[in-house]
């Protein structure tokens, strides 16, 4: 009998918990409807065209980690913008934007690379908008059609452990990794194709073998080279930090992203050597764009104008060790960053071509090339 | 019999019951069948015609076929090994009289509070290239290969011990229901310990074993972190490939097809198990149950062996967790080399995680979502299990199988299916748009957790003695009253355990969350992923462990509140 009363008590507890759960969910929703109200009403007030109207903007980005998101929210606030950031990985964010395109939630999306913006453009997710700072961005980085415009440059680099190689003995280009026996089994192959960096490494090699008659636009020679890249490399392991393996000498060669170099050096006490191939390095640019179908077009435009300005980008670069795409802001970048970029030449890449084929390349590599 | 079925039928004419069942049917159609068929349609009928291109691609890929094969090998091996280890754990902690069983139990239950990549890295601290065990072995045998811990056996080893959580919880509940008098009687008639186990204890555990077998099989098929980290080139499995493909627009068909194959395999096994379940009557015979008294192992050598086994397993379970906690106070350099050095101990990581007040909001958001979703999903499956238990016809069968739909799609695609379906007004939900509301994520969490919950809740329903219900009915109790006062208390322990497991699972979910979360309510999983992403510049290795420890604490609290206290009554 006692057991049953205990059980009954637990049942009541359970009901209370469930009631609380329900209540909280309800609260969460009321909170939402309050917040969502501006979005709803904005559609109505928009038609009365009040340009000074400052609605809350929903901003999607993959570049908000390490306090960058908080910094932007803070800065935007003092500039009079009310923004809410939705942060997620680049590929996830792109999928989410495409899935939501019939009823977009986001107003602005920034931080993605060219490849992902090309996908979004193809799916009609972006609205055309050319901000006034577009002209200050380094030549050839912006979308020529005017849908997205450059903020921050990131270089995908081939790095090496300085204790194992010197500038002379290190590879001169990605292709050396599999052509020269000295590097076989010493580099990390770009196997985690769910992530962006490995994809860009692959794209940087494949696009050298563009051939309209080849499989997926790539000549047979190109596919052979990629096959060798995977055959002679060490598979990346999920959850491991490549820089740790570079530092320990387990795989002393592999891909690095310029923006994280300084912190990684500090964490692992090894300063990676950087290869600068003659053909150049894949230069990824984080862009800003407005989402097609936003109900807050005017505010979104003003926000993009503000965010991409030389002033904001300069401050951002100084704070986060970044390399601005805006030439006026580039002067304010930190010395070490400027020095790194002065030695690097951007590789010529046909982003539309890459964006169109990258998914299929990745699929082919996963199915036919990887071991 | 006739009178009884007529009675139950009349009872079910209760208007509240009809509304309730109507709601269930509406939910199944609106959220399980419709969006998922929609995404399948979108994937396989591109441009209006059906293509088998995906199947051809997969069949011609040696790697895909080998990975698929490996997944099945792993699933079947795990069914055997996890059942053995799981039953052993339960016997040690619940059935036999082992000294210090309470502490042992704590050790065995550590798998309940961590999983995935973190769990595997915990094992790597011990057995990996730089691991403590490996270093010891190298010192003892200088020719020992430090990279020994990879491939099929490493994956099987880690997963065998990591996947006993369900056994520990549900079989523990089942074994406590065994009637002690039957055991006593058998013993008095001269039955040996082994004979009693086989003929008295095991039969009562059967429904639970069937349910756990399916879950283990599914876990094996869905294995991601362990094969990715420990499998190496020689033992790759299919789920990592499914995950990669499901995130790429053009490869979704491959992901859906592969998931369908795995799902169908699970359903085949499930059908076999349901047959078994129907065939047997697994209730214990006694109507007046007396509580189980722990059995002393009378054979002296056997007793010593059992104690050694018990404590050996304890060490095996506890060491990875302890190491994760210790390493969360160090930095990435220490973590990657698995060296514990007092000088590298720091609190910085924890300070960084809790530096601002806004850092607490995601915890609250995730707790509310997890609580709401896990309560809803349990309530739903309780009602459904009741239906399945009461009626046995083609309609209930159809209902049961439609509730298992989430097993045949990767969760990424379930999320995308929901967005694609509900970002325009849909008649089935009263012409409203769900995308962009807070409800979207809640619904997704509920959907994804239905199959697991249903399996476990149903299993405990089927071990119910239907005489109890009849007795209550004969005494004049109404159906809902009977359910509440007679049936629910008996199945409550298992139900609460499911609730706790679901709650913990939702807390740090990323795969579903990332597509559906509301901009104003960022859940914990997103925060963790953002700050530990490969692109992040912070000390991501250390932060990953810090967040894991925080989640461990949260999970422990949940388990204590929902389950721990109950098990002590």
């Amino acid at each position: 009998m006692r057991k049953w009363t205990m059980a009954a008590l637990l049942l009541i507890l359970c009901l209370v918990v469930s009631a609380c759960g329900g209540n909280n969910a309800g609260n969460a929703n009321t909170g939402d409807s309050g917040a969502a109200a501006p979005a709803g009403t904005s559609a109505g007030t928009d038609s009365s065209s009040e340009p000074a109207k400052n609605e809350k903007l929903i901003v999607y980005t993959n570049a908000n980690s390490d306090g960058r998101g908080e910094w932007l929210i803070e800065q935007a606030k003092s500039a009079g913008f009310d923004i809410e950031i939705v942060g997620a990985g680049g590929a996830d964010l792109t999928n989410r934007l495409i899935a939501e395109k019939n009823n977009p939630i986001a107003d602005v999306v920034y931080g993605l690379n060219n490849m992902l913006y090309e996908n979004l453009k193809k799916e009609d997710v972006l609205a055309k908008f050319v901000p006034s700072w577009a002209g200050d961005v380094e030549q050839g980085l912006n979308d020529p059609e005017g849908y997205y415009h450059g903020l921050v440059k990131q270089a995908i680099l081939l790095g090496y452990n300085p204790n194992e190689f010197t500038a002379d003995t290190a590879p001169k280009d990605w292709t050396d990794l599999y052509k020269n026996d000295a590097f076989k089994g010493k580099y990390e192959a770009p196997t985690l194709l769910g992530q962006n960096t490995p994809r860009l490494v692959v794209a940087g090699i494949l696009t050298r073998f563009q051939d309209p008659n080849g499989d997926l636009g790539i000549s047979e020679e190109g596919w052979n080279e990629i096959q060798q890249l995977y055959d002679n490399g060490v598979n990346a392991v999920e959850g491991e930090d490549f820089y740790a393996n570079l530092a320990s000498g387990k795989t002393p060669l592999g891909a690095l992203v310029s923006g994280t170099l300084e912190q990684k050096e500090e964490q692992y006490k090894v300063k990676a050597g950087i290869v600068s191939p003659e053909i150049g390095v894949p230069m990824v640019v984080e862009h800003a764009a407005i989402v097609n179908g936003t109900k807050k077009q005017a505010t979104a435009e003003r926000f993009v104008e503000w965010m991409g300005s030389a002033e904001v980008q300069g401050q951002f670069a100084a704070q986060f060790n970044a390399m601005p795409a805006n030439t006026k802001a580039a002067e304010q970048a930190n010395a070490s960053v400027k020095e790194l970029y002065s030695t690097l030449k951007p590789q010529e890449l046909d982003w539309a071509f890459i964006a169109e084929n990258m998914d299929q390349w990745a699929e082919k590599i996963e199915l036919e090339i990887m071991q | 019999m006739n009178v009884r079925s007529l009675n139950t039928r009349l009872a079910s004419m209760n208007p509240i019951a009809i509304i309730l069942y109507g709601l269930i049917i509406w939910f199944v159609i609106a959220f399980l069948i419709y969006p998922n068929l929609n995404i399948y349609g979108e994937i396989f009928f591109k441009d209006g015609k059906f293509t088998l291109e995906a199947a051809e691609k997969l069949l011609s890929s040696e790697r895909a076929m080998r990975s698929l094969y490996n997944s099945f090998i792993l699933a079947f091996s795990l069914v055997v090994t996890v059942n053995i280890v799981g039953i052993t754990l339960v016997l040690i902690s619940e059935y036999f009289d082992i000294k210090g069983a309470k502490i042992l139990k704590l050790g065995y239950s550590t798998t309940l509070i961590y999983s995935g990549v973190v769990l595997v890295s915990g094992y790597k601290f011990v057995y990996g290239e730089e691991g403590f065990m490996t270093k010891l072995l190298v010192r003892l045998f200088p020719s020992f290969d430090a990279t020994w811990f990879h491939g099929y056996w490493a994956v099987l080893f880690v997963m065998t011990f990591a996947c006993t959580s369900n056994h520990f919880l549900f079989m523990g509940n089942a074994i406590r229901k065994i009637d002690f008098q039957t055991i006593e009687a058998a013993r008095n008639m001269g039955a040996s310990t082994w004979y009693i186990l086989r003929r008295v204890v095991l039969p009562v555990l059967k429904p639970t074993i069937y349910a756990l077998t399916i879950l283990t099989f599914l876990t094996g098929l869905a294995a991601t972190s362990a094969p990715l980290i420990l499998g190496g080139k020689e033992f790759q499995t299919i789920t990592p490939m499914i995950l990669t493909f499901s995130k790429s627009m053009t490869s979704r068909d491959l992901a859906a097809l592969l998931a369908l194959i795995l799902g169908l395999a699970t359903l085949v096994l499930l059908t076999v198990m349901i047959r078994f379940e129907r065939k047997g009557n697994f209730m214990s015979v006694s109507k007046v149950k007396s509580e189980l008294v722990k059995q002393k192992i009378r054979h002296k050598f056997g007793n010593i062996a059992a104690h050694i086994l018990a404590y050996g397993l304890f060490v095996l379970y506890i060491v990875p967790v302890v190491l994760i906690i210790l390493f969360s106070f160090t930095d990435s350099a220490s973590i990657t080399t698995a060296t514990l050095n007092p000088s590298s101990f720091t609190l910085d990581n924890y300070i960084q995680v809790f530096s601002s007040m806004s850092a607490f909001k995601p915890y609250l958001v995730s707790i509310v979502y997890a609580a709401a979703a896990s309560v809803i999903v349990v309530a739903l499956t309780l009602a459904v299990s009741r239906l399945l238990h009461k009626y046995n016809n083609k309609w209930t069968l159809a209902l049961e199988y439609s509730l298992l739909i989430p097993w045949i799609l990767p969760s990424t695609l379930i999320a995308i299916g929901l967005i694609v379906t509900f970002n325009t007004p849909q008649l089935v939900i009263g012409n409203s748009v769900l995308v962009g509301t807070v409800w979207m994520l809640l619904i997704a969490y509920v959907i994804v957790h239905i199959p697991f919950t249903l399996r476990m809740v149903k299993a405990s329903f089927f071990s119910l003695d239907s005489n109890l219900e009849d007795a209550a009915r004969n005494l004049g109790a109404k159906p809902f009253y009977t359910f509440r006062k007679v049936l629910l208390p008996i199945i409550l322990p298992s139900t609460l355990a499911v609730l706790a497991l679901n709650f913990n699972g939702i807390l740090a979910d990323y795969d579903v969350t990332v597509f559906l979360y509301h901009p104003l309510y960022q859940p914990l999983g997103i925060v963790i992923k953002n700050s530990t992403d490969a692109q992040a510049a912070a000390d991501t290795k250390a932060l990953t462990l810090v967040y894991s420890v925080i989640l461990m604490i949260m999970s422990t609290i949940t388990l204590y509140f929902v389950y721990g206290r109950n098990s002590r009554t």
Side-chain angles (χ1 to χ4, degrees), chain B residues 12-279:
Chain B
S12 76
M13 287 305 171
N14 180 338
I16 297 171
I18 291 174
I19 292 171
L20 188 72
Y21 297 152
L23 273 176
I24 292 172
I25 291 166
W26 167 78
F27 182 88
V28 168
I29 293 173
F31 297 114
L32 283 170
I33 298 178
Y34 186 49
N36 290 327
L37 278 186
N38 208 1
I39 187 86
Y40 262 114
E42 194 139 298
I43 288 167
F44 288 117
F45 292 86
K46 254 195 174 151
D47 312 320
K49 56 177 189 239
F50 180 71
T51 76
L52 277 173
E53 207 189 337
E56 282 164 27
K57 276 185 193 165
L58 288 176
L59 282 171
S60 62
S61 161
E62 201 195 314
R63 177 165 177 255
M65 288 297 113
R66 207 180 47 224
S67 303
L68 201 56
Y69 174 77
N70 285 343
S71 285
F72 277 96
I73 293 287
L74 183 65
F76 282 114
S77 330
L78 280 176
V79 164
V80 177
T81 57
V82 173
N83 266 322
I84 292 174
V85 175
I87 293 174
T88 310
L89 291 187
V90 172
L91 290 179
I92 289 173
S93 54
E94 301 287 346
Y95 184 74
F96 289 121
D97 187 13
I98 305 279
K99 299 261 172 325
K102 270 191 180 160
I103 294 172
L104 290 176
K105 248 176 107 168
L106 279 181
Y108 300 160
S109 57
T110 49
T111 52
L112 291 168
I113 58 169
Y114 74 138
S115 61
V117 175
V118 174
L119 182 139
V120 183
S121 28
Y123 279 83
K124 256 179 103 177
F125 285 137
V126 188
Y127 311 98
E129 225 171 304
E130 311 275 353
F132 291 101
M133 186 69 141
T134 308
K135 279 178 187 160
L136 184 75
L137 287 168
V138 170
R139 204 167 299 164
L140 291 177
F141 315 99
S143 61
F144 190 82
D145 177 15
T147 61
W148 67 295
F149 200 66
H150 64 92
Y152 168 74
W153 293 107
V155 174
L156 186 66
F157 177 82
V158 170
M159 290 195 71
T160 296
F161 294 105
C163 301
T164 50
S165 316
N166 292 330
H167 280 77
F168 186 79
L169 281 183
F170 300 107
M171 206 172 284
N173 285 334
I175 210 164
R176 267 176 248 130
K177 278 189 212 144
I178 292 175
D179 174 36
F180 182 59
Q181 286 173 11
T182 321
I183 295 174
E184 280 286 84
R187 180 165 281 195
N188 289 341
M189 286 189 277
S192 68
T193 306
W194 174 241
Y195 190 86
I196 295 174
L197 267 186
R198 215 156 41 90
R199 301 302 297 269
V200 181
V201 177
L202 213 57
V204 184
L205 298 181
K206 266 186 185 169
T208 319
I209 292 180
Y210 292 150
L212 290 174
T213 297
I214 292 169
L215 289 181
T216 310
F217 185 76
L218 196 71
T219 316
L221 285 186
T224 323
S225 336
L228 265 181
I229 297 173
L230 300 171
K233 268 188 185 173
E234 75 269 29
F235 193 75
Q236 300 181 43
T237 56
I238 202 73
T239 313
M241 204 190 262
I242 295 181
L243 284 176
T244 311
F245 284 158
S246 66
K247 293 196 170 177
S248 138
M249 289 286 278
T250 54
S251 309
R252 267 181 205 166
D253 50 345
L254 299 179
L257 185 63
L258 286 171
L260 187 65
I261 295 171
L262 299 189
L264 289 180
T266 313
L267 288 189
V268 168
L269 183 71
L270 183 71
T271 314
V272 174
M273 292 293 166
I274 288 178
R275 282 272 159 76
F276 277 136
E277 225 168 48
R278 291 229 168 107
K279 240 198 245 161

Side-chain angles (χ1 to χ4, degrees), chain A residues 3-4 6-8 10-11 13-14 17-18 21 24-26 28-29 31-32 35 56 58 60 64-66 84-89 91-92 95-96 98-103 105 123 192-195 197 199 230-231 233 235 237-241 244 250 257 259-260 263-264 267-268 359-360 362-363 365-368 370-371, chain B residues 57-58 61-64 66 117 124 129 228-229 233 236 241 244-254 291 332-333 336 368 371-372 375 416 419-420 423-424 433 435-439 442 484-486 488-489 492 496 510 513-522 526 530-531 534-541 565-566 569:
Chain A
K3 248 173 112 186
W4 285 40
M6 268 317 287
L10 264 164
L11 172 68
L13 181 83
C14 169
V17 168
S18 74
N24 286 348
N29 188 51
D32 159 59
K56 189 182 202 98
I58 304 294
Y60 279 23
N64 64 329
S65 58
D66 304 315
E84 201 64 54
I85 284 185
V86 172
D92 292 330
N95 279 330
R96 182 170 170 159
I98 293 172
E100 288 171 349
K101 72 176 173 186
N102 290 329
N103 187 21
I105 296 170
E123 294 283 338
L192 299 177
L193 287 169
Q195 297 172 5
T197 310
R199 284 180 163 230
Y230 282 95
D231 285 352
N235 280 13
V237 177
E238 182 86 20
E240 278 182 11
D241 185 350
K250 192 173 155 198
V257 181
T260 60
Q263 282 90 341
K264 298 283 180 198
Q267 281 162 33
Y268 293 99
D359 277 346
Q360 281 153 300
E363 183 183 299
I365 292 169
E366 289 266 357
L367 291 177
E368 296 169 24
M370 266 193 227
Q371 290 288 309
Chain B
K57 276 185 193 165
L58 288 176
S61 161
E62 201 195 314
R63 177 165 177 255
R66 207 180 47 224
V117 175
K124 256 179 103 177
E129 225 171 304
L228 265 181
I229 297 173
K233 268 188 185 173
Q236 300 181 43
M241 204 190 262
T244 311
F245 284 158
S246 66
K247 293 196 170 177
S248 138
M249 289 286 278
T250 54
S251 309
R252 267 181 205 166
D253 50 345
L254 299 179
E291 222 162 296
S332 48
T336 44
V368 170
V375 168
I416 290 174
I419 305 180
V420 172
N423 71 358
T424 49
V433 174
V435 168
T437 68
V438 287
W439 302 109
L442 183 67
R484 218 159 32 107
K485 290 284 186 172
V486 181
L488 196 56
L492 202 61
L496 287 179
Y510 175 79
T513 313
V514 66
F515 292 102
L516 302 171
Y517 80 90
H518 189 281
L520 299 181
Y521 303 100
Q522 179 160 268
I526 304 296
N530 275 342
S531 50
Q535 300 285 329
D539 194 339
T540 55
K541 280 259 166 191
R565 292 195 306 189
N566 177 53
T569 59

